[in-house]
């Protein structure tokens, strides 16, 4: 189908982009990699009056350290850049592992970290990793920047804590140092969205028990989520298969699990428990 008519802007600066958002309000949409938005436009599931393309703003794509044990990643950084970055591979391999299982090569060459998070697909891969990492997201508005915790960012299906006049500009993730991580995704085919995706980032105490853990879950319900009740149960636990298995079952406790032709709610809930166990074991290398 052909999208409905819209004004197209390609601002050279963030300030210009923000002015356009303020001018058009809810009638404007930001365009990043276009891997989700272009389909929505063509299906007329989105019909903005104005499209603000971030592609010409030079300084939104970068990966560097902040000197305080964090990586700062510009919102327009593409999946392929994350997958190829030596810094990411060394300091936060969870992001590399996650980027590599998003869609196919074409999607990874165009799709951006910021677009993935702002789009808030309930089965998006990157949101799970960002939640497990307990990352922070920078929203830039016309007057100020504000930092949003990842656990407060995803509000519902395709809904986030971003205001209509804000742009997601940066993601701050802690470097992993002595923490171990893994992202595992159950999908029907390699380039498909997750039926279930589980990200784990954990630190083990000297005696091998779990000292601290962050989890991110995607594909299960209307939004990616961080099961803090499971994190609490894992803290202090021995990380052997029996102990992990006992805790893993509660990952969908209190969650309204989705069902569709690919997976019933019961099957999806079962998968979530199995994939949590596997992801923890993959993280600790057992
Ligand atoms: C064939 C195919 C397979 C795919 N498979 C997967 C998969 O396996 N896993 C997965 O996670 N995803 C998958 N995707 C989706 C892909 O990850 C998208 O790239 C991502 O969802 C959106 O990122 P984008 O940069 O393309 O954003 P766009 O499509 O340009 O934008 C998406 C939305 O986010 C908003 N937005 C974008 N950037 C910003 C910003 N900086 N600030 C505020 N709002 C912003 C836009 O206004 C729009 O509403 C697939 C897509 C395709 C086409």
């Amino acid at each position: 189908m052909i999208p409905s008519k819209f004004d197209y802007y390609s601002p050279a600066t963030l300030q210009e982009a923000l002015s356009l958002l303020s001018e058009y309000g809810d009638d404007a949409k930001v365009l990043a990699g276009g891997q989700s938005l272009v389909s929505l436009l063509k299906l007329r599931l989105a019909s903005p009056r104005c499209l603000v393309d971030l592609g010409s703003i030079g300084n939104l794509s970068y990966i560097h350290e902040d000197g305080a044990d964090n990586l700062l990643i510009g919102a327009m950084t593409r999946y392929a850049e994350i997958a190829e970055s030596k810094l990411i591979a060394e300091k936060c391999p969870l992001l590399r592992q996650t980027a590599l299982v998003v869609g196919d090569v074409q999607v990874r060459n165009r799709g951006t970290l910021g677009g993935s998070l702002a789009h808030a697909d309930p089965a998006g891969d990157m949101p799970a990793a960002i939640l497990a990492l307990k990352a922070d997201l920078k929203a830039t508005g016309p007057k100020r920047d504000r930092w949003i915790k990842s656990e407060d960012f995803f509000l519902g299906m395709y809904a986030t804590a971003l205001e209509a006049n804000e742009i997601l500009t940066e993601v701050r993730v802690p470097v992993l140092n002595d923490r171990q991580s893994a992202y595992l995704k159950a999908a029907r085919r390699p380039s498909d969205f997750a039926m279930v995706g589980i990200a784990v980032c954990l630190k083990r105490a000297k005696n091998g028990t779990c000292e601290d853990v962050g989890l991110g879950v995607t594909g299960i319900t209307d939004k990616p989520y961080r099961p803090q009740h499971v994190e609490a149960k894992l803290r202090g636990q021995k990380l052997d298969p029996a102990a992990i298995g006992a805790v893993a079952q509660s990952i969908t406790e209190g969650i309204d699990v989705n069902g569709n032709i690919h997976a019933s709610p019961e099957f999806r809930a079962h998968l979530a428990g199995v994939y949590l166990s596997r992801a923890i074991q993959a993280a600790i290398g057992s």
Side-chain angles (χ1 to χ4, degrees), residues 122-136:
D125 295 301
M126 273 300 176
I130 290 300
L131 285 164
L133 288 165
K134 302 177 193 169
D136 299 309

Side-chain angles (χ1 to χ4, degrees), residues 36 135 145 151 201 246 248 255-256 276 284:
S36 296
D145 293 334
E151 70 201 57
C201 179
I255 297 291
D256 189 11
L276 176 61
I284 62 178

Side-chain angles (χ1 to χ4, degrees), residues 29-37 54 75 79 101-103 107 110-112 114-116 118-119 123-125 162 166-168 185 191-193:
K29 273 266 170 212
V30 162
L31 176 69
Q35 296 305 294
S36 296
L37 184 54
L54 301 183
Y79 296 121
V101 296
V102 175
V107 173
R110 295 297 309 164
T112 66
S116 163
H119 187 55
D125 295 301
L162 285 176
E166 287 179 325
I167 293 175
L168 176 60
K185 163 178 177 174
S191 62
D192 279 359
F193 276 92

